[in-house]
Amino acid sequence: MKITDAKVIVTCPGRNFVTLKIETDEGVTGVGDATVNGRELAVASYLNDHVIPLLIGRDPAMIEDTWQYLYRGAYWRRGPVTMAAIAAVDTALWDIKGKIAGLPVYQLLGGRSREGVTVYGHANADTVDGVLQEISRFVNLGYRAVRVQTGIPGIATTYGVSKDKLFYEPADAAIPTEAVWSTDRYLSHVPSVFARVREEFGPELKLLHDAHHRLTPIEAARLGKALEPYALTWLEDPVPAELQEGFRLIRQHTTTPIAVGEVFNTIWDCHQLISEQLIDYIRTTVVHAGGISHLRRIFDLAALYHVRSGSHGATDCSPVCMAAALQVDISIPNFGLQEYMRHTDATDTVFPHSYRFEDGYLHPSSEPGLGVDIDEGLAALYPYRPAALPVNRLEDHTMHNW
Ligand code: CS2
Ligand code: MG
């Protein structure tokens, strides 16, 4: 069997997505998500100019050799663009392998390890009362876990509080919009929000919170300690994670579990965090961390150190990424949680898929392959639209982390 062609499809059914479709001489095709929010065209070019010419004529069954070829052969290894391109190829080849075998990919990864994939939704609002309403909505939809994000008094807008409640698209302008941030206001407000949430919903509901890379380790330690009475499932991205040993300081002060990794793209980005047990959940996902093959390596390393998965699943992870992530989630032994930010109806129509939400779980497709495709005709109706993620400045205008 040979790869005969591959194409990059950029579409914008409400937000931009980049999808790789690989074709073979036996008519079997496979798809892979290559979307990096705000850098979509960079990945599209990397695929078109530096990857697809190398794929033509290769045996699609040689998934590992192709991964190693594209990784080691790049010379300039790692990084979000390179690894998203490799991820898309890897995912599409697993899709093809499943179709050839007549099996869903999870059967090639060792089969099911659980009935369903527990997911969490995003409850967010400007006010605490609004948050309580949103949490009720997700509980009534059957969610067992909810991420809680609120507005901060004295700050006009903040991460995670979206206009549209079912999905969240922060990349809202061609030139980054600028938000203002105050760590002091944030730290003095958030614990009171979780006190109200626990008072309203009791101890059972799994609660999560995303600090979105905005604190220093001692600030994160202070927040983690303040949140201990509310028993969060995880505090996410407390600090920018380039300094992996910086998490030792957080660990010294708080038992609030830590989740990190959505911006990581290789196992080396999280090796120290995992092997020193500085985190409790690793949030790497298919599209950003080298595809199904590399994600499995990360989760297998994590399993040695009691670290569970908690894969990123924001709106900018396409249904192709979600379909692939669920094939991994259902099979690994150390699954933790899967983020599930729903997509617009237009997106779901462009990407027909057979995973489904039921009773707080996502259930992966059992069709051969990944159980997702892209309708190229429909995709062509939604041309690319320049969109960048916001930037964040402190109140004195100093650049901060968004
Ligand atoms: C967030 C993401 O879902 C999350 O945990 O961190 O929404 C993130 O802000 C976006 O994926 C960025 O494109
Ligand atoms: Mg996050």
Side-chain angles (χ1 to χ4, degrees):
M1 195 172 184
K2 293 272 178 262
I3 294 171
T4 50
D5 196 7
K7 63 181 84 165
V8 178
I9 302 157
V10 182
T11 182
C12 187
R15 64 142 292 107
N16 294 309
F17 293 108
V18 180
T19 307
L20 173 71
K21 187 160 201 170
I22 293 179
E23 296 170 5
T24 64
D25 56 1
E26 294 184 17
V28 180
T29 61
V31 288
D33 185 13
T35 307
V36 176
N37 200 354
R39 295 294 179 271
E40 291 87 357
L41 297 188
V43 186
S45 161
Y46 192 98
L47 283 165
N48 277 319
D49 301 331
H50 305 294
V51 172
I52 288 174
L54 308 183
L55 295 178
I56 309 305
R58 285 188 67 89
D59 177 355
M62 296 170 72
I63 299 178
E64 186 60 38
D65 181 68
T66 300
W67 197 98
Q68 297 294 335
Y69 177 69
L70 294 176
Y71 180 76
R72 295 168 189 267
Y75 186 73
W76 313 106
R77 300 179 179 189
R78 304 166 71 178
V81 172
T82 300
M83 297 314 295
I86 293 176
V89 174
D90 183 83
T91 305
L93 295 183
W94 275 106
D95 193 15
I96 291 167
K97 193 175 275 289
K99 288 175 179 174
I100 297 288
L103 291 169
V105 169
Y106 69 74
Q107 293 292 16
L108 306 177
L109 300 176
R112 284 175 175 278
S113 298
R114 54 195 55 79
E115 281 314 303
V117 172
T118 305
V119 294
Y120 70 88
H122 285 203
N124 67 79
D126 284 317
T127 65
V128 182
D129 289 339
V131 164
L132 298 177
Q133 283 170 17
E134 281 300 297
I135 295 172
S136 296
R137 196 157 66 84
F138 278 94
V139 169
N140 294 335
L141 283 169
Y143 283 81
R144 292 172 166 75
V146 181
R147 189 186 83 167
V148 176
Q149 305 291 135
T150 71
I152 309 294
I155 301 179
T157 61
T158 191
Y159 164 73
V161 180
S162 62
K163 298 179 236 6
D164 199 306
K165 291 308 168 199
L166 256 189
F167 33 83
Y168 172 51
E169 182 39 69
D172 54 5
I175 301 297
T177 52
E178 300 220 348
V180 176
W181 174 253
S182 160
T183 296
D184 291 342
R185 295 176 193 273
Y186 169 77
L187 291 176
S188 61
H189 181 63
V190 167
S192 65
V193 173
F194 282 92
R196 278 287 307 278
V197 172
R198 277 296 180 218
E199 192 184 309
E200 186 84 9
F201 291 95
E204 294 303 309
L205 182 63
K206 289 180 185 292
L207 298 177
L208 310 100
H209 180 66
D210 193 346
H212 219 257
H213 325 277
R214 297 183 176 197
L215 304 177
T216 63
I218 201 65
E219 292 166 346
R222 175 180 155 196
L223 178 60
K225 212 168 175 58
L227 292 174
E228 283 175 11
Y230 314 116
L232 268 64
T233 297
W234 79 44
L235 173 61
E236 179 180 334
D237 284 333
V239 297
E242 292 93 334
L243 185 71
Q244 295 190 46
E245 64 262 30
F247 285 75
R248 292 176 188 149
L249 199 151
I250 304 171
R251 261 327 201 213
Q252 284 161 14
H253 293 279
T254 180
T255 56
T256 293
I258 303 291
V260 174
E262 68 182 51
V263 298
F264 291 168
N265 45 75
T266 68
I267 198 166
W268 291 274
D269 295 331
C270 44
H271 179 259
Q272 184 174 9
L273 287 174
I274 290 171
S275 58
E276 288 190 25
Q277 298 180 49
L278 298 175
I279 59 174
D280 304 281
Y281 296 89
I282 182 67
R283 286 196 25 87
T284 38
T285 197
V286 171
V287 60
H288 294 295
I292 290 171
S293 300
H294 197 58
L295 196 63
R296 274 300 306 264
R297 291 207 151 88
I298 292 171
F299 290 158
D300 286 347
L301 172 68
L304 298 181
Y305 295 94
H306 307 290
V307 175
R308 284 173 281 185
S309 73
S311 286
H312 186 212
T315 305
D316 48 281
C317 299
S318 89
V320 175
C321 176
M322 183 56 76
L326 294 172
Q327 299 286 333
V328 177
D329 290 336
I330 202 81
S331 68
I332 54 173
N334 55 325
F335 170 74
L337 271 179
Q338 170 66 50
E339 178 177 11
Y340 179 41
M341 241 198 239
R342 291 171 189 253
H343 292 105
T344 62
D345 291 342
T347 297
D348 285 339
T349 313
V350 169
F351 294 96
H353 56 269
S354 48
Y355 59 80
R356 57 185 170 76
F357 176 81
E358 192 177 308
D359 188 29
Y361 297 109
L362 269 179
H363 297 277
S365 158
S366 288
E367 295 166 13
L370 299 174
V372 65
D373 204 343
I374 181 167
D375 181 322
E376 295 181 53
L378 275 180
L381 301 179
Y382 300 99
Y384 168 78
R385 194 176 58 210
L389 285 168
V391 298
N392 216 4
R393 290 183 181 273
L394 299 179
E395 290 169 300
D396 69 358
H397 212 57
T398 303
M399 265 304 287
H400 197 58
N401 309 306
W402 175 73

